[in-house]
Amino acid sequence: MKKFISTLLVLHLSIYVAFAHLGSVVGRVIDKSTKQPIVGATVVVADSKKGATTDATGFFQINNLEPNTYRIEVSFVGYSAQNQLVIVKEDESVNLEFGLSESQVQLSEVKVSASNPQHQQVISSLDIKTRPINNSQEVLRIVPGLVIGQHAGGGKAEQIFLRGFDIDHGTDIRLTVDGVPINMVSHAHGQGYADAHFIIPELIEGVDFKKGLYDTDKGNFATAGWANFRTKTTLERSFAKAEVGQFNTYRLVSGVNVLKTNQHNVYLAGEYNYSDAYFEAPQNFNRINLLGKYHGHLTQNTNLTLTASTFWSKWNASGQIPDRSVADGSIGFYGAIDPNEGGETSRTNVNAELVTLTKRNHVWKNQFFYSNYNFELYSNFTFFLVDPVNGDQIRQKEGRNLWGYNSNYSIGHVIGDKQATFNAGLNYRHDLTNGSELSRTKDRTQLLEAIKLGDVNEANVGVYVDETIQLSPRLSATAGVRFDYFNNQYLDKLQNNTKFKANAAIVSPKLNVYYTYNPNVQLYVNLGKGFHSNDTRAVVAQNGLEVLPAAYGSDLGAIWKPFPRMLLNASYWYLWLNQEFVYVGDAGVVEPSGKSVRKGVDVSMRYQLSKKLFFDLDANWAKPRAVGEAEGQNYLPLAVNFTSVGGLTLKTEQGFSGSLRYRYIGNRPANEDNSIVAKGYFVTDALVNYSKNRFSVGLSVQNMFNTQWKETQFATESRLQNETEPVEEIHFTPGTPFNAKLSISWQF
């Protein structure tokens, strides 16, 4: 590890040579209206292969330009392209600023660029601009190929399916918002639990994502992929929105600009949700979100962003019900065996981000974050299997303090005549839980037995370096390495406050190569190693063994624009895991299992049918299998084989907009020999909206054809109160029936 880093640094220092008599162009790209930086804009030197992509500050840099007059062109999805003529002189940098104005999305303007291609998020940018985000669940569905399901009321984190995974609540996808972790390590309900309900959908500016484990700055849980949700630094206008729907559903959301100048911006936002939902037992779901954000320029080249938010939710849940009870008519499709399930959770976040552009045009990002988190969940998966008298209700509970620091230093430079970028970074995260609990309870009031009770102390420090180099006008590569160290401690309150300890480290090399054949075709190869950590309570019991099971992956893919208004992204991928996570129904948690291998094909298409009509399609095939098991006995329970999402979106200049969207998940094995099958589903949603002046009214419909479907399913052994023997079969949570909701909003 040390030798590898030393070699990189020596290589970087020894060939960091800028040719004499060459010039450069540096500058920023901002939104003309809000004055905020545009992240990911494409900047090219016309009639040449040189270019760049703007970073988090809107900054770009193009080096090694011969003295001459150039036309610099800037474009970004949903904005009018701009160009400026510049005169580059010997040994000088020309400073530019582009202020882009929003415009109708035109897919023909999207370019496949060789410059910094691994940071392109063309698909995401298109989806944000064209696809309506109707609720908090849609936040996760922005990631192409990601399918979610809710199985314990609206307040619990969704179950996630991606790339042949049943990720449960986040064990193999790394989720962050503005760089703050969403995933919870060593969580009371399962490793990697990721509850994104504290994000207000109307405040999402963009989503950065990547499938696979190929980015050095992404550590724990980034195996199937990662996503970072960026919230708006300023509101274009203050707004208020009210929604009312079936099943006694109400929602109020508002955002107000408190201060808005060229140098400083402050806004406040809030959201309240209530719903009884469609279950026979009312859900009584309540959720409150509050957020405040400051963004300002401390100096011309230093930006500070401060965000504070708080979230609270409480709900009842019908839980998972067995097929046999619905079949014999003892309960309805939307009924419950134990109507006393439910929970309460809260989270308060503080986030400070400082971004500095140094005098040498280096970019230094620093971030400090803190979260206070509380969680309590009551579930009953097996009914009367364990306790025939009181029932099998369990309580999972914890209180948590989480804090951390992220830093990244980026240097744009040249190696010989090649443009390059060097990154070095540090990530630190520390979790302290108080009273992490798994207990058997009755009626959510009586404690019957404490199964687990203790405090978790888990720290993770990661360091990384990578180098991106433009090897030729068509070929670029990024090579890097990451080192992570974990220190795990567990205070077991059921064993006389005995403290257990473990630690481990892992090295994760990465390589990404991109070949841009022409402005319409780009090929890429991604190779990498990553990991997902294990629960502290599991690893200390094994003296630190298998704390950080490794994952190895590869992607071979292409981005292709066969027509000016069509964009295709396809990849063949492979992923090996040294240790699989498997859901355990009787405890309601995930536990480590054996090795696994997955391979598959992902296809995404974005097509602008006309100036106003857009079509999108994601199709994902996978073959997930356990390693070392006999053929026919090697299925991974609930791992998806095929998923597809897509739809049509209409956006007119007269104020009308709408969408018709579907999501499909195929049949999948629910146990190791595929003798129990989780049935797939096809559900269609629709939305129509009309805006005039600063008012808009909208109607959204979930499951417009009123399909009866099972949103989440598990093969669980359970026993009902009148049964003498247990039965293993599908237990499911029903998906929403036809559900209409009306919204009215006002901008001011």
Side-chain angles (χ1 to χ4, degrees):
M1 170 64 188
K2 292 181 179 178
K3 185 176 180 180
F4 185 88
I5 294 177
S6 299
T7 303
L8 270 180
L9 292 173
V10 170
L11 177 66
H12 171 258
L13 293 173
S14 61
I15 58 180
Y16 184 100
V17 180
F19 280 5
H21 310 305
L22 297 179
S24 61
V25 175
V26 298
R28 293 180 73 234
V29 181
I30 62 173
D31 183 298
K32 187 175 181 180
S33 174
T34 65
K35 309 301 181 184
Q36 298 305 308
I38 296 177
V39 181
T42 300
V43 185
V44 297
V45 180
D47 303 321
S48 83
K49 300 293 184 180
K50 292 193 174 184
T53 302
T54 56
D55 62 15
T57 67
F59 173 77
F60 68 89
Q61 182 173 4
I62 304 173
N63 298 313
N64 277 7
L65 295 175
E66 296 279 354
N68 208 335
T69 299
Y70 297 95
R71 187 172 76 253
I72 309 300
E73 299 176 340
V74 177
S75 61
F76 189 65
V77 176
Y79 286 84
S80 299
Q82 273 194 19
N83 67 81
Q84 293 186 35
L85 287 177
V86 298
I87 299 174
V88 176
K89 299 180 180 179
E90 295 181 355
D91 304 321
E92 289 186 8
S93 290
V94 180
N95 287 283
L96 299 176
E97 181 169 288
F98 291 86
L100 303 188
S101 300
E102 287 198 52
S103 66
Q104 188 99 2
V105 174
Q106 296 295 324
L107 192 53
S108 58
E109 295 180 0
V110 175
K111 299 178 181 179
V112 178
S113 171
S115 60
N116 221 8
Q118 66 273 27
H119 292 152
Q120 288 184 355
Q121 300 294 339
V122 173
I123 296 292
S124 173
S125 300
L126 282 170
D127 293 343
I128 289 291
K129 293 290 184 181
T130 61
R131 187 187 303 177
I133 301 173
N134 189 40
N135 53 51
S136 60
Q137 290 184 326
E138 298 290 346
V139 171
L140 291 173
R141 290 186 182 135
I142 293 172
V143 178
L146 189 150
V147 178
I148 61 173
Q150 177 59 256
H151 62 240
K156 186 181 176 185
E158 278 76 23
Q159 186 178 4
I160 301 171
F161 301 95
L162 180 69
R163 279 204 159 180
F165 277 90
D166 167 25
I167 298 178
D168 197 55
H169 299 295
T171 55
D172 283 284
I173 183 170
R174 178 186 176 92
L175 298 176
T176 55
V177 54
D178 295 327
V180 177
I182 299 177
N183 303 80
M184 294 293 179
V185 297
S186 305
H187 189 270
H189 187 67
Q191 180 69 335
Y193 184 89
D195 182 358
H197 291 128
F198 65 90
I199 304 174
I200 300 175
E202 286 81 0
L203 301 184
I204 296 176
E205 178 73 30
V207 182
D208 302 318
F209 72 90
K210 192 170 186 179
K211 298 178 187 178
L213 33 69
Y214 313 116
D215 294 88
T216 56
D217 61 332
K218 306 296 184 295
N220 197 11
F221 302 123
T223 51
W226 60 267
N228 178 57
F229 303 96
R230 288 182 282 109
T231 59
K232 296 180 179 181
T233 52
T234 184
L235 302 177
E236 184 175 358
R237 289 190 181 98
S238 300
F239 71 93
K241 185 177 183 180
E243 298 177 345
V244 59
Q246 291 179 260
F247 313 115
N248 202 23
T249 299
Y250 307 95
R251 179 174 181 256
L252 298 172
V253 60
S254 180
V256 179
N257 279 313
V258 178
L259 175 66
K260 190 175 182 181
T261 68
N262 289 338
Q263 298 298 318
H264 303 280
N265 292 278
V266 177
Y267 74 83
L268 300 174
E271 175 192 35
Y272 173 71
N273 269 19
Y274 179 85
S275 180
D276 284 333
Y278 48 88
F279 302 98
E280 292 177 10
Q283 187 176 338
N284 296 321
F285 167 72
N286 283 270
R287 181 171 70 226
I288 296 173
N289 273 318
L290 298 173
L291 180 141
K293 194 165 191 177
Y294 164 81
H295 178 80
H297 300 276
L298 301 185
T299 67
Q300 183 178 357
N301 294 320
T302 300
N303 298 333
L304 174 65
T305 304
L306 300 173
T307 308
S309 66
T310 189
F311 151 81
W312 171 85
S313 183
K314 187 175 183 179
W315 68 98
N316 297 322
S318 293
Q320 298 153 25
I321 57 177
D323 274 347
R324 61 188 185 276
S325 294
V326 178
D328 65 19
S330 57
I331 63 171
F333 191 77
Y334 301 101
I337 299 295
D338 182 355
N340 293 315
E341 298 189 36
E344 182 174 352
T345 187
S346 64
R347 178 168 180 168
T348 298
N349 302 306
V350 178
N351 185 27
E353 301 171 88
L354 187 69
V355 181
T356 301
L357 178 64
T358 71
K359 293 181 179 179
R360 303 179 72 177
N361 292 326
H362 301 167
V363 179
W364 190 16
K365 304 174 189 175
N366 290 279
Q367 178 184 27
F368 299 88
F369 59 85
Y370 167 78
S371 293
N372 176 265
Y373 173 80
N374 294 280
F375 174 87
E376 184 175 19
L377 180 69
Y378 292 89
S379 309
N380 189 343
F381 303 99
T382 53
F383 311 126
F384 292 92
L385 177 68
V386 178
D387 189 337
V389 177
N390 297 299
D392 298 347
Q393 187 183 86
I394 60 173
R395 177 172 66 196
Q396 295 164 315
K397 185 178 181 180
E398 71 167 54
R400 180 185 299 254
N401 287 296
L402 157 67
W403 68 88
Y405 168 70
N406 295 318
S407 180
N408 183 86
Y409 197 84
S410 180
I411 302 172
H413 64 100
V414 290
I415 299 177
D417 61 345
K418 314 296 184 187
Q419 186 159 321
T421 303
F422 177 77
N423 282 291
L426 168 69
N427 306 130
Y428 179 75
R429 170 177 178 165
H430 203 133
D431 290 74
L432 290 173
T433 75
N434 178 32
S436 293
E437 173 190 347
L438 173 61
S439 300
R440 298 201 178 279
T441 57
K442 182 180 180 180
D443 298 330
R444 294 171 68 164
T445 57
Q446 186 178 349
L447 175 65
L448 300 179
E449 179 190 4
I451 301 172
K452 291 182 180 179
L453 182 63
D455 299 339
V456 173
N457 183 339
E458 182 172 332
N460 168 214
V461 60
V463 293
Y464 62 89
V465 292
D466 64 50
E467 178 86 356
T468 299
I469 181 171
Q470 194 76 37
L471 296 167
S472 75
R474 295 183 175 181
L475 184 65
S476 65
T478 299
V481 65
R482 180 182 179 91
F483 172 80
D484 280 275
Y485 173 80
F486 278 74
N487 184 273
N488 303 74
Q489 297 181 41
Y490 180 59
L491 181 70
D492 195 331
K493 296 182 178 180
L494 299 182
Q495 295 190 38
N496 298 318
N497 290 326
T498 303
K499 182 177 288 187
F500 299 90
K501 299 180 181 180
N503 57 73
I506 190 169
V507 177
S508 306
K510 323 275 187 178
L511 177 65
N512 301 271
V513 179
Y514 292 82
Y515 177 73
T516 304
Y517 178 72
N518 59 40
N520 296 319
V521 178
Q522 185 177 93
L523 306 175
Y524 60 88
V525 176
N526 302 140
L527 304 168
K529 176 184 176 184
F531 68 96
H532 57 208
S533 67
N534 270 327
D535 191 299
T536 289
R537 291 160 291 190
V539 302
V540 296
Q542 303 179 57
N543 297 317
L545 293 177
E546 299 180 330
V547 178
L548 307 173
Y552 303 86
S554 61
D555 268 58
L556 175 63
I559 300 173
W560 180 33
K561 286 193 69 178
F563 311 108
R565 291 186 173 186
M566 178 181 287
L567 182 69
L568 291 170
N569 189 345
S571 67
Y572 172 79
W573 56 269
Y574 176 91
L575 184 62
W576 169 286
L577 284 175
N578 266 344
Q579 189 179 82
E580 181 77 13
F581 281 126
V582 175
Y583 181 82
V584 181
D586 58 351
V589 298
V590 292
E591 288 185 353
S593 184
K595 295 179 173 63
S596 65
V597 62
R598 289 170 170 83
K599 50 190 173 183
V601 175
D602 290 347
V603 176
S604 292
M605 179 176 71
R606 303 295 182 265
Y607 184 30
Q608 187 171 0
L609 298 169
S610 68
K611 184 178 180 181
K612 303 172 183 177
L613 188 62
F614 298 83
F615 174 69
D616 66 271
L617 169 70
D618 297 315
N620 312 93
W621 294 265
K623 184 180 179 180
R625 293 292 186 268
V627 175
E629 302 294 335
E631 187 70 25
Q633 302 291 322
N634 60 345
Y635 293 94
L636 295 174
L638 302 177
V640 292
N641 300 309
F642 179 73
T643 63
S644 181
V645 296
L648 291 166
T649 302
L650 176 70
K651 301 198 82 170
T652 72
E653 296 177 353
Q654 290 75 34
F656 284 101
S657 64
S659 69
L660 181 66
R661 304 199 54 76
Y662 78 89
R663 57 188 185 277
Y664 171 77
I665 185 168
N667 292 348
R668 57 199 187 278
N671 58 356
E672 288 79 359
D673 62 4
N674 200 23
S675 60
I676 303 177
V677 176
K679 297 294 185 181
Y681 59 80
F682 186 99
V683 179
T684 307
D685 302 330
L687 182 146
V688 63
N689 192 81
Y690 176 71
S691 299
K692 186 173 184 180
N693 299 325
R694 296 188 177 185
F695 290 89
S696 65
V697 59
L699 175 67
S700 66
V701 178
Q702 294 177 280
N703 192 4
M704 64 181 299
F705 299 116
N706 203 26
T707 301
Q708 192 175 83
W709 59 293
K710 300 174 181 179
E711 187 163 12
T712 58
Q713 302 170 69
F714 301 90
T716 303
E717 185 181 53
S718 67
R719 183 169 60 191
L720 301 175
Q721 195 167 22
N722 60 348
E723 293 177 332
T724 57
E725 296 296 329
V727 177
E728 184 180 17
E729 65 173 356
I730 288 294
H731 292 56
F732 69 94
T733 300
T736 179
F738 182 95
N739 184 9
K741 183 170 57 177
L742 180 69
S743 67
I744 300 174
S745 60
W746 171 48
Q747 294 183 333
F748 56 93

